[in-house]
């Protein structure tokens, strides 16, 4: 980019900012490339195309873009625009001595990127190398390091046991999701408990008022173990409070109750 073009680009940007301060986005719209990007101070992408940029700026014109350009510095295709807003409290981003810095990248007369910078030094550095700090990446789900082996005695099945107002109504609803009734318990011809299945999915529903748990959490985590007595001994040895094994009729003949660290009640039954 020669000196004449640089002077032209800077002058055009100054007119763009002056027009925006008056609420006129026509020049900006003309200069923005269709796939222009706008990156914030922390490098999060605020907008990914011209329409998004125009929409955000239009909604934030009052107060935030009224002011004047203090300085412009060009470094090849990048131009630093140092803008002093009249109402700094409304800007909503870091200011350096009351000035907001943005680096505008221009190619073939079109703005292809705008990058907010926290201060003048950051703006100068970005205008020179155009490098944004690498975005933080989240460590996706993976096996823990180190991996732990399961305990000797453990559960092998989990079924949510949910309190409902009308078991028949719930059965009819879950049928639309593919569930079928595996078993049902009736009192005076009215279903008060039912077990539903749909391939690998399982669900139990019971009438409100059935004593699922003392905390009234609304859903009970119903688990099964191949050796319930051995599992109970193992839990007690680990210092975990566990209820006695009791008869769970009309459900499992052997079951015990315990709570997890957050107070969620679990019921563990002997696998038939």
């Amino acid at each position: 980019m020669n000196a004449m073009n640089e002077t032209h680009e800077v002058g055009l940007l100054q007119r763009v900012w002056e027009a925006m301060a008056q609420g006129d986005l026509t020049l900006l719209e003309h200069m923005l490339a269709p796939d222009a990007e706008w990156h914030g101070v922390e490098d999060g992408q605020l907008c990914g195309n011209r329409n998004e940029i125009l929409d955000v700026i239009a909604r934030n014109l009052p107060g935030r873009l009224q002011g004047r350009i203090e300085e412009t510095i060009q470094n090849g295709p990048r131009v630093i625009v140092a803008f002093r807003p009249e109402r700094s409290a409304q800007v909503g981003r870091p200011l350096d001595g009351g000035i907001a810095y943005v680096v505008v990248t221009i190619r073939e007369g079109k703005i292809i990127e705008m990058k907010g910078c926290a201060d003048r030094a950051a703006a100068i550095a970005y205008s020179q190398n155009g490098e944004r700090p690498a975005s933080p990446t989240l460590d996706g789900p993976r096996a823990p390091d180190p991996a732990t082996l399961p305990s000797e005695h453990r559960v092998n099945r989990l079924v949510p046991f949910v309190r409902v107002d009308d078991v028949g109504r719930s059965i009819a609803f879950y049928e639309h999701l593919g569930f079928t009734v595996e078993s049902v318990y009736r009192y005076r011809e009215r279903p008060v408990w039912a077990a539903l299945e749909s391939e690998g999915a399982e669900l139990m529903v019971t009438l409100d008022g059935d004593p699922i748990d003392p905390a009234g959490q609304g859903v009970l985590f119903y688990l099964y173990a191949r050796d319930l007595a051995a599992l109970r001994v193992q839990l007690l040895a680990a210092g975990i409070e566990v209820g006695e094994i009791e008869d769970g009729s009309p459900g499992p003949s052997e079951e015990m109750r315990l709570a997890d660290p957050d107070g969620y009640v679990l019921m563990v039954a002997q696998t038939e």
Side-chain angles (χ1 to χ4, degrees):
M1 185 181 294
N2 58 42
M4 182 176 294
N5 284 338
E6 290 184 3
T7 302
H8 172 73
E9 307 290 10
V10 169
L12 191 54
L13 276 180
Q14 289 175 334
R15 292 196 295 276
V16 166
W17 248 258
E18 290 169 0
M20 285 197 299
Q22 301 300 317
D24 184 0
L25 301 182
T26 305
L27 282 176
L28 177 63
E29 183 177 6
H30 175 74
M31 282 199 71
L32 282 171
D35 57 351
E37 297 180 353
W38 183 4
H39 293 264
V41 173
E42 301 298 330
D43 199 47
Q45 188 182 79
L46 303 178
C47 304
N49 59 61
R50 174 172 55 198
N51 292 337
E52 289 181 3
I53 293 174
L54 290 170
D55 179 62
V56 171
I57 290 180
R59 287 188 281 109
N60 289 275
L61 275 175
R64 299 190 178 192
L65 293 175
Q66 293 175 344
R68 66 181 186 276
I69 291 181
E70 292 278 338
E71 181 182 30
T72 54
I73 305 172
Q74 184 146 7
N75 194 327
R78 301 184 185 92
V79 181
I80 300 173
V81 177
F83 177 77
R84 184 182 295 276
E86 291 179 354
R87 302 176 187 176
S88 58
Q90 297 184 21
V91 174
R93 54 157 291 183
L95 297 178
D96 182 11
I99 296 177
Y101 287 89
V102 60
V103 177
V104 181
T105 304
I106 302 174
R107 289 208 180 107
E108 298 180 357
K110 295 292 184 181
I111 296 173
I112 63 170
E113 182 192 69
M114 298 193 298
K115 171 71 174 78
C117 296
D119 50 36
R120 190 173 190 275
I124 290 175
Y126 185 74
S127 71
Q128 291 173 345
N129 55 43
E131 293 181 1
R132 296 190 296 270
S135 299
T137 56
L138 297 177
D139 189 9
R142 62 180 181 84
D145 186 19
T148 56
L149 295 175
S151 54
E152 180 181 1
H153 302 286
R154 52 177 169 155
V155 299
N156 58 1
R157 183 179 165 204
L158 167 62
V159 184
F161 190 13
V162 184
R163 178 180 293 153
V164 299
D165 289 330
D166 188 323
V167 170
R169 183 181 65 182
S170 294
I171 290 172
F173 172 81
Y174 283 101
E175 284 177 346
H176 293 291
L177 298 176
F179 281 87
T180 57
V181 178
E182 177 66 18
S183 57
V184 63
Y185 180 76
R186 297 178 182 273
Y187 178 73
R188 294 182 178 177
E189 301 305 316
R190 183 187 182 191
V192 295
W193 172 89
L196 311 176
E197 291 186 356
S198 178
E199 296 186 355
E202 296 181 78
L203 175 67
M204 290 189 292
V205 291
T206 188
L207 273 185
D208 191 14
D210 194 297
I212 285 183
D213 68 89
Q217 66 190 32
V219 59
L220 179 72
F221 300 103
Y222 219 101
L223 304 105
Y224 294 84
R226 294 188 178 90
D227 191 337
L228 186 63
L231 175 60
R232 185 175 184 274
V233 170
Q234 178 179 279
L235 292 170
L236 290 171
I240 297 174
E241 185 176 346
V242 187
E244 297 290 338
I245 295 177
E246 299 177 348
D247 185 349
S249 298
S253 59
E254 293 181 289
E255 63 183 19
M256 65 183 184
R257 186 187 299 259
L258 69 154
D260 75 2
D262 293 295
Y264 287 99
V265 178
L266 316 175
M267 188 72 78
V268 189
Q270 174 68 45
T271 299
E272 298 296 336

